[in-house]
Structure formats: C-alpha cells, structure tokens
C-alpha cells in the first residue's frame, strides 16, 4: 500500500509485507512508482512533484528472495494526486495562521505526507515497513492510546494520520470504504463509530475533527464532527439542511470553530461563537451575495474572499472578525482584496488595485500599523507578506521592507554592539524597531535591485524603477510569503519572535540569507551557520515557536539538517544535542523531512517560554527527536527491519509547488 497523502510536495512511501512459502529470506526486492502508467521512481519513497497533480500514482513491489527467486509484482491501489489538501489550496493554508491541513500547526505548513503528525505535546507516526502506528508524548495530549485501538491498528494499518491540540485520528481502509479511529482528551465515550466511516476528507481545529462523507449518509448528511462540544463537535441541523442541495467543498478551522465552503461558494459556520462559529446577520447576508473562493483564518476569526476582491470577515470582534469602516473603504477603493494574510489575532489585506496593504484586528498585535508601516503600505506594490504570531512583514516590488507588531515570547532581547535594545520585561519588542536595528533592509533591497538589473531595468533611472515595480506587482494575482522572481526563489518565514528571509537561484543555491527579530528566538544567526547555509542547497524550512530548522544538500550529501534559535536550555530545538552523539550523526545526512511538535503560541506576548521540539525522518526509517518536550533520542520503531536495497535517493531540490514566475519586464 501507499503510506502518506498524495499531495504535491509530500514524500510517499511504499509499504508491503514479504512472505515466502519456503521461508527464504528477502533479498533486494525491486520497487516502482508510476504516475498514469509512466515510471517516475524505482525507490521505496517517492517525492510528489507538481506535474503529478490530477494523475494517479501507484506503488509496485517485485519480491526477490535472497536465493534469487523472483516473485510476481504486486501493486497498490492507485491514489489521485492533489495539488492542495482536500480542496484547501496551498495559498489558503500558508496565509492562514491556524494551518488548515488536518494537523495542529502554525507558522509554516507541516510536510504533506501525513506519516508523522503531532498534537501540542505528543506525536504519532506510521512505520511503513511494519505498518504499525507509534505514539509518544504526554498522556494529556493524546499519547494514551486505548488498548482496543492499539490492537486494531496492529491488525489493520492506518494510511493517514490527523491531529488536534490534544487528540489523534487514524484513517484505516475498511473493505471498499474507510474508517476514522480517534482518541484523546476531547473524544467522547461510546460514540457511534459508524458515523466516522466512508469519509472523503478530514479536518481538525484545536479540539475537534470535522469530516466530509464521500456520499450523503443515510441521515441525509454530508458532514459531521467529533471532539469537544466547545470546539464544534455538533453541526447544527440548519447547516445540514443547507448542504443537501449544495454539497460541501471544504471545511476550514479557527482554534475552536469550523466553517464549511459549499460547491456554490456559500459559507456556513459552527463552534465557539467568539471564534467564528457564529456569523453576524450582516456578514451572512454579504456572504450569501458572493461566491466565496478562499477562506483565511487566524485563531479566532475567518475571512472569506471571492474572485472579484469582495471579502467578508467574521468572528472575534477584537481579533479581526469586524473590520473598521475606514479600512474597509480603503480596500474597496483599491478594487477589493487580492490576498489576505493572518497572524494570531489580526489580518492584513493586499489590495487588487495598487497592491497596498491594510491591516485590522488586535490593535497592538498587528491590527494597527505603525506610522512607518502606514506610509510604506500606502505606496503599494506589495509582493510579499508574512505574519509572525503578533506581527507582519511586507516587501514591495523594489525590495523595500517594513514590519509592524510585537515580538515578546521568551523574554527580552540583548543589546547589540551599538547598545540597541527594543524591549524589556514590561514592553514587548516592536518588530518595526527590531527590523530597523537589524540592518537587513539594505540586504533585501539590494537583492531585488539586482534582479531588476538582470531583467534589463535601468536601476539608475528612478522612473524606470517605479514603472518596473508597478508592472511586477500588478502581474501578481496573489500575494503570499514566497514567489518566483525570474529564475530565483524568494521566501519569508516566521515564528513567535523572528523572521527569516531566503533567496535562492534557479539551482537552489543560496543567494541571500537574512534574519531579524529577538536574538533568543531565531532573530540572529551564528556566522558559521550562515556560511554553511550560504554554501548549501536549502530544500525546506521548518519552525518551532522559537527556532528554525532547514533541510539542505551540501555537495553530494543530501538531507542535512541545520538549526538555530532558542536553545535546548531555553526549552526549544534551535540547538542539536551533543548527547546522545547519534543524534548529530543522523542529522548530518539522509533526512527526508522535518516535523515540528509545536505548542500553542501564547495568547499575548509573554516572557514565559513554551517547550516545542523537532522530529526528523531519516531515510533508514528512524526518527531523530530533540527539543523541549521530547526525550532527545533516535527513535527506532519496533520491528522496523528494513529490507536490503530499501534506501532512497532524494532529488536535488524539493519541488516548490504553486509558484508562478514573475519578472520586471
């Protein structure tokens, strides 16, 4: 069978059980992956590339005994490759603060394979060779698995995993259909398991799972939910009735509410009324008059957008559920919203007209721009926007950058060589001041200016620069935190307290690498780390609350992990443990993906640290765990026993899907 979600950007793994009537041990069995019949890989793992979208992928194994006996090839059922998660686009997932891909996550999307997922304090993984599910962590975060479910998963392996903050879900095959098994703090006793059968899609918020059936069930219902009642485990009958004639397309989540988008573009919500679970009558009226195509969420509010730029927020009134009239007018005067980006408690819209930026929500946590940010945003041509937990950063087409909001999780920042300090214990650091004091602005500006020059723009002619920047910004139909600039990739990443700017050439070689924010949360980088990454091909970036990990190729060595940020002593994962020594050894090569075991970011900036961790999947089937809420170790799933010849070769660059190429021409 195929383990993992067939989603662009993920890594699938083939799983099988070798049997031989004469008990001859397995030799070097051979593997083959086909996409619509065309062979694309001959290894146990397969990276899902953008060109596979809309096609069917199949895994085939030909068993080979050590004595040379060759058995008949056996193929898995095919999986249809999707470019997004269950009808939620990469843009919606990236621009939402609460990630929408069925796993408890923030900052950057987790790997799409769904072989490893985490709650706020535990992890669950599928071991492909044995097909067993392993769970470790804190009992109150889902690590205590009922014995009956343990036994069942040993007999009927899961293919995909899901997670809320304190609960896990495992999807298993069941004849021609499937079954969702769930456990954790929010799962009620004696629930009707037949209601969790024949599912097309599964989604998660902080304490409940919502799902869409493949076909309407016997009760004429398209959707359902299970979990804590405070998180939306009961779908109102009125919504069920609406969906009979207009089936659901996807379900979105804030921390404790859900919103369903229908095939006709209508939106209905349920759950905590203070977190988007109830839609104001005026907002529902506007939603009923538009065809919603995208939904972005923060932790307690939603924002729906149509293709014409009409947008409607709802949810917590302080945290972005209501937009002030003057800001609504400013966006509508510019043709509406091109894109919307969410922080924990605020939204920022990039307009369709001159690509201006307008924010609203919690006033001190990104909802109100600083004077410098307001002036910058009014000039328009914004092409990149990334949210940290309580702040935003935006970059325009000329490479000028500005930030606003606060960074205050984990304490104060130290003074730099010039004595600059942006926060103290009572006053969270201002991100605009942190960015200005970091000196990164000239580095971003010069990089974009160089790309202008490469595209033939006269960089000594200000009018030519302005015209080129306007053309560039207007050519973008969406704004997220990454883009293709000519042949280069440019991305901005963030956690609770810092930002990370990365630019790479067409071959994946690092051209520019800049960080800013709190020094104890990833806002500074050791010089040796910088030199190493400048000489590497970075294939993926991951975040915990206060640290970063990058996966890179160094020369001919693939799958190398480098980290920086909050250290082990600070209860985070920005430092690789020296003990046991095999952790560092494993992270030097052969890592396929890195996953984060995040804690929920604090509601407000605080000097108190949370304790997240990283987990890295090695191509030999082991997992490397380190950070604040795990035992630093190399985790070896029981009964692993990888077959000879089962190692895999990674492609030189991980596919960055969904990014159009833009230029100044």
């Amino acid at each position: 069978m195929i383990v993992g979600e067939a989603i662009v950007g993920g890594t699938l793994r083939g799983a099988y059980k070798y049997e031989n009537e004469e008990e001859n041990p397995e030799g070097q069995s051979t593997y083959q992956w086909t996409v619509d019949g065309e062979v694309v890989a001959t290894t146990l793992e397969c990276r899902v590339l953008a060109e596979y979208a809309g096609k069917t992928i199949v895994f085939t194994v030909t068993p080979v005994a050590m004595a040379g006996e060759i058995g008949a090839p056996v193929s898995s059922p095919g999986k249809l490759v999707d470019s997004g998660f269950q009808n939620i686009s990469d843009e919606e997932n990236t621009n939402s603060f609460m990630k929408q891909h069925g796993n408890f996550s923030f900052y950057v999307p987790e790997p799409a394979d769904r072989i490893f997922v985490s709650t706020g304090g535990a992890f669950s993984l599928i071991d492909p060779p044995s097909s067993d599910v392993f769970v470790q962590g804190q009992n109150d975060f889902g690590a205590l698995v009922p014995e009956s479910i343990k036994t069942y998963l040993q007999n009927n392996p899961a293919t995909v995993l899901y997670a809320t903050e304190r609960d896990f879900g495992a999807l298993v095959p069941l004849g021609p259909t499937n079954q969702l098994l769930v456990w954790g703090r929010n799962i009620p006793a004696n629930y009707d398991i037949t209601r969790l059968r024949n599912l097309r899609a599964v989604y998660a918020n902080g304490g409940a799972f919502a799902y869409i059936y493949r076909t309407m069930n016997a009760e004429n219902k398209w959707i359902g939910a299970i979990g804590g009642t405070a998180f939306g485990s009961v779908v109102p009958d009125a919504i069920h009735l609406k969906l009979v004639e207009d089936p659901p397309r996807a379900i979105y989540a804030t921390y404790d509410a859900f919103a369903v988008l229908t095939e006709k573009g209508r939106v209905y919500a349920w759950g905590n009324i203070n977190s988007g679970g109830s839609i104001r009558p005026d907002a529902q009226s506007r939603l009923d008059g538009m065809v919603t195509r995208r939904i972005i969420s923060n932790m307690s509010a939603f924002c729906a957008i149509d293709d014409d730029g009409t947008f409607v927020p709802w949810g917590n009134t302080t945290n972005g559920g209501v937009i002030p009239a003057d800001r609504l007018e400013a966006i509508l005067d510019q043709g509406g919203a091109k894109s919307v980006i969410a922080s924990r408690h605020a939204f920022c819209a990039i307009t369709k007209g001159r690509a201006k930026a307008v924010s609203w929500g919690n006033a001190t946590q990104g909802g109100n721009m600083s004077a410098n940010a307001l002036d910058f945003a009014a000039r328009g041509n914004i092409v990149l926007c990334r949210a940290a937990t309580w702040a935003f950063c935006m970059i325009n087409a000329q490479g000028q950058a500005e930030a606003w909001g606060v960074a205050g999780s984990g304490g104060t920042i130290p003074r730099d060589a010039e004595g600059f300090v942006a926060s103290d214990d009572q006053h969270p650091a201002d991100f605009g001041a942190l960015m200005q004091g970091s000196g990164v602005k000239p580095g971003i500006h010069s990089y974009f200016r160089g790309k202008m020059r490469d595209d033939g723009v006269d960089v000594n002619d200000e009018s030519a620069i302005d015209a080129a920047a306007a053309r560039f910004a207007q050519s973008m139909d969406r704004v997220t935190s990454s883009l293709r600039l000519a042949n280069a990739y440019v991305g901005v990443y963030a956690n609770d307290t810092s930002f990370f700017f990365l630019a790479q050439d067409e071959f994946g070689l690092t051209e520019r690498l800049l960080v800013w924010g709190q020094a104890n949360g990833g806002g500074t980088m050791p010089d040796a780390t910088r030199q190493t990454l400048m000489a590497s091909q970075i294939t993926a970036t991951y975040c915990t609350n206060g640290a970063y990990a990058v996966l890179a190729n160094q020369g001919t060595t693939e799958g190398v992990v480098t980290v920086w940020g909050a250290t082990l002593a600070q209860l985070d994962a920005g430092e690789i443990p020296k003990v046991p020594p095999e952790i560092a050894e494993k992270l030097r090569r052969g890592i396929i993906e890195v996953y984060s075991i995040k804690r929920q970011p604090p509601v407000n900036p605080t000097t108190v640290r949370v304790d997240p961790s990283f987990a890295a999947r090695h191509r030999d089937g082991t997992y490397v765990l380190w950070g604040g809420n795990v035992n630093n170790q190399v985790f070896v799933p029981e009964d692993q026993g990888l077959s000879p010849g089962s190692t895999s070769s990674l492609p030189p660059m991980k596919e960055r899907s969904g990014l159009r190429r833009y230029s100044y021409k």
Side-chain angles (χ1 to χ4, degrees):
M1 68 178 180
I2 296 174
V3 178
E5 289 273 39
I7 296 176
V8 170
T11 303
L12 300 175
R13 183 162 180 139
Y16 64 95
K17 289 187 177 180
Y18 174 84
E19 295 180 349
N20 187 292
E21 291 182 357
E22 298 180 2
E23 298 184 356
N24 291 328
E26 185 178 13
Q28 293 193 11
S29 298
T30 61
Y31 315 116
Q32 180 176 277
W33 294 86
T34 58
V35 174
D36 277 2
E38 180 183 350
V39 178
V40 296
T42 57
T43 53
L44 192 59
E45 283 154 340
C46 180
R47 179 71 48 78
V48 184
L49 304 181
E51 55 263 34
Y52 302 167
K55 302 177 182 179
T56 300
I57 190 166
V58 174
F59 170 70
T60 300
V61 56
T62 301
V64 177
M66 193 171 292
E69 177 187 359
I70 301 176
V74 179
S75 297
S76 71
K79 281 193 173 184
L80 184 66
V81 177
D82 199 346
S83 58
F85 175 82
Q86 302 176 153
N87 288 329
I88 294 179
S89 68
D90 287 343
E91 176 203 353
E92 291 170 302
N93 189 44
T94 298
N95 283 0
S96 292
F97 184 75
M98 181 88 177
K99 299 309 174 193
Q100 302 295 303
H101 283 187
N103 189 15
F104 186 69
S105 183
F106 316 95
Y107 316 122
V108 298
E110 290 293 301
D113 53 52
R114 316 213 56 71
I115 293 174
F116 181 110
V117 300
S118 65
T119 61
F123 68 85
S124 179
L125 66 90
I126 300 172
D127 175 40
S130 66
S131 299
D132 286 337
V133 173
F134 294 87
V135 183
Q136 276 200 359
Q138 298 169 268
N139 288 347
D140 202 33
F141 285 85
L144 191 61
V145 186
E147 288 298 324
S148 59
I149 291 181
K150 284 183 185 179
T151 301
Y152 186 95
L153 291 175
Q154 290 172 350
N155 296 328
N156 188 18
T159 57
V160 180
L161 300 172
Y162 304 93
T164 73
E165 185 178 22
R166 294 178 182 269
D167 315 285
F168 285 110
L171 195 65
V172 300
L174 191 65
T177 183
N178 57 30
Q179 177 75 57
L180 181 67
L181 302 177
V182 291
W183 67 93
R185 175 177 173 177
N186 296 297
I187 304 304
N190 302 317
Y191 60 88
D192 184 356
I193 192 171
T194 63
R195 294 177 181 271
L196 307 182
R197 191 172 292 171
N198 196 35
L199 306 183
R200 188 188 83 202
V202 180
Y203 308 87
N205 66 15
F209 297 102
Y211 45 85
I212 301 175
Y213 294 112
R214 291 173 175 172
T215 57
M216 198 159 47
N217 71 5
E219 297 177 319
N220 291 327
K221 293 179 179 179
W222 271 107
I223 65 174
I226 186 168
T229 55
F231 292 86
S233 64
V234 178
V235 183
D237 289 339
I239 293 179
H240 287 304
L241 289 173
K242 295 281 188 181
L243 299 180
V244 171
E245 299 296 332
D246 185 10
R249 175 173 174 78
I251 297 175
Y252 301 78
T254 61
Y255 179 71
D256 46 4
F258 290 110
V260 59
L261 174 64
T262 73
E263 292 290 351
K264 293 181 180 179
R266 298 294 181 262
V267 178
Y268 310 103
W270 74 97
N272 187 329
I273 61 174
N274 293 316
S275 296
S278 176
I279 304 176
R280 307 181 314 276
D282 64 304
Q284 188 68 67
S285 177
R286 293 200 299 274
L287 287 168
D288 291 344
M290 61 189 270
V291 180
T292 297
R293 298 300 187 192
R294 292 168 285 158
I295 295 178
I296 306 299
S297 74
N298 64 27
M299 289 288 277
S300 56
F302 294 99
C303 185
I305 315 164
D306 72 6
D307 287 339
D308 296 327
T310 301
F311 69 102
V312 178
W314 75 94
N316 188 288
T317 56
T318 300
N319 297 337
V322 175
I323 181 170
D326 60 331
R327 301 183 202 188
L328 175 62
E329 182 180 15
I331 297 170
L332 295 179
D333 284 350
Q334 284 291 312
K338 176 189 294 188
S339 293
V340 174
I341 299 91
S343 66
R344 196 190 201 289
H345 287 153
F347 292 108
C348 179
I350 310 300
T351 66
K352 292 176 72 72
R354 290 178 44 221
K356 295 182 177 182
V358 179
S359 68
W360 72 96
N362 189 293
T364 62
Q365 298 178 18
N368 285 356
M369 291 188 184
S370 64
N372 287 341
L374 281 170
D375 180 73
F376 184 94
R379 300 176 186 275
N381 293 335
I382 306 300
V383 295
L384 286 168
C385 185
R386 163 67 80 174
T389 303
W390 308 288
F392 293 91
C393 173
M394 54 185 167
I395 300 174
N396 66 21
Q398 296 187 32
Q400 297 161 328
E402 191 56 74
W404 72 99
V406 294
S409 178
T412 62
I413 67 166
R415 295 178 182 272
D416 63 14
E418 298 178 354
F420 175 80
V421 63
S423 70
D424 56 36
D425 288 336
Q426 286 73 44
H427 301 88
D430 176 80
F431 249 124
L434 285 170
M435 189 176 195
Q436 185 65 39
S438 69
V440 301
K441 288 185 178 181
I444 299 173
H445 189 211
S446 65
Y447 182 80
F448 274 70
R449 189 60 63 95
K451 293 301 176 184
M452 279 189 171
R453 185 186 306 108
D454 294 344
D455 268 355
V457 177
D458 183 356
V459 295
N460 296 312
D461 183 343
E462 289 300 324
S463 62
I465 291 172
D466 291 342
R471 287 194 302 271
F472 178 23
Q474 290 304 308
S475 70
M476 298 184 65
D477 57 350
R478 298 283 191 272
V479 172
T480 66
S481 55
S482 60
L483 58 81
R484 284 283 188 185
L485 179 54
N487 289 326
Y489 167 82
V490 178
V492 182
Y493 306 88
N495 58 25
D496 283 348
T497 64
S498 64
F499 287 94
F500 166 40
F501 175 91
L502 172 66
Q504 297 170 280
D505 69 12
E506 59 186 307
F507 304 108
L509 296 176
T510 309
E511 292 189 312
R512 195 64 51 92
L513 191 157
L514 303 164
V515 297
W516 66 97
Q518 291 198 160
N520 55 10
T524 61
M525 179 184 291
D527 184 64
T529 301
R530 184 183 301 277
Q531 289 189 56
T532 298
L533 294 179
M534 287 299 297
S536 302
Q537 287 180 307
I538 296 174
T539 59
T541 300
Y542 312 88
C543 303
T544 63
N545 298 74
Y548 296 91
V550 296
L551 190 59
N553 300 328
Q554 297 178 354
T556 59
T557 301
E558 300 172 348
V560 183
V561 173
T562 302
V563 300
W564 74 95
T567 64
L568 297 170
Q570 295 169 319
L571 304 179
D572 213 308
E575 171 189 11
I576 295 175
K578 295 181 173 60
V579 177
E582 53 263 32
I583 287 182
E585 180 60 31
K586 285 281 188 182
L587 295 177
R588 289 192 183 109
R589 63 183 62 82
I591 298 300
I592 297 169
E593 291 284 12
V594 178
Y595 309 85
S596 63
I597 306 171
K598 300 183 181 76
R599 295 295 196 183
Q600 181 186 165
V603 174
N604 297 299
T606 174
T607 58
V608 178
R609 283 193 175 277
V610 293
D611 56 346
S613 302
F614 280 127
R617 177 159 67 104
H618 198 278
R619 65 185 180 190
D620 67 5
T622 61
Y623 288 80
V624 184
L625 305 171
W626 75 101
N629 60 5
V630 298
N631 295 322
N632 299 330
Q633 62 177 302
V634 175
F635 179 74
V636 183
E638 294 176 3
D639 302 324
Q640 181 171 295
L642 278 178
S643 306
S646 63
T647 57
S648 63
S649 176
L650 301 179
M653 276 295 294
K654 184 173 180 178
E655 181 71 19
R656 302 187 189 276
S657 61
L659 294 180
R660 285 178 49 194
R661 296 180 185 273
Y662 298 97
S663 73
Y664 292 98
K665 296 179 180 178

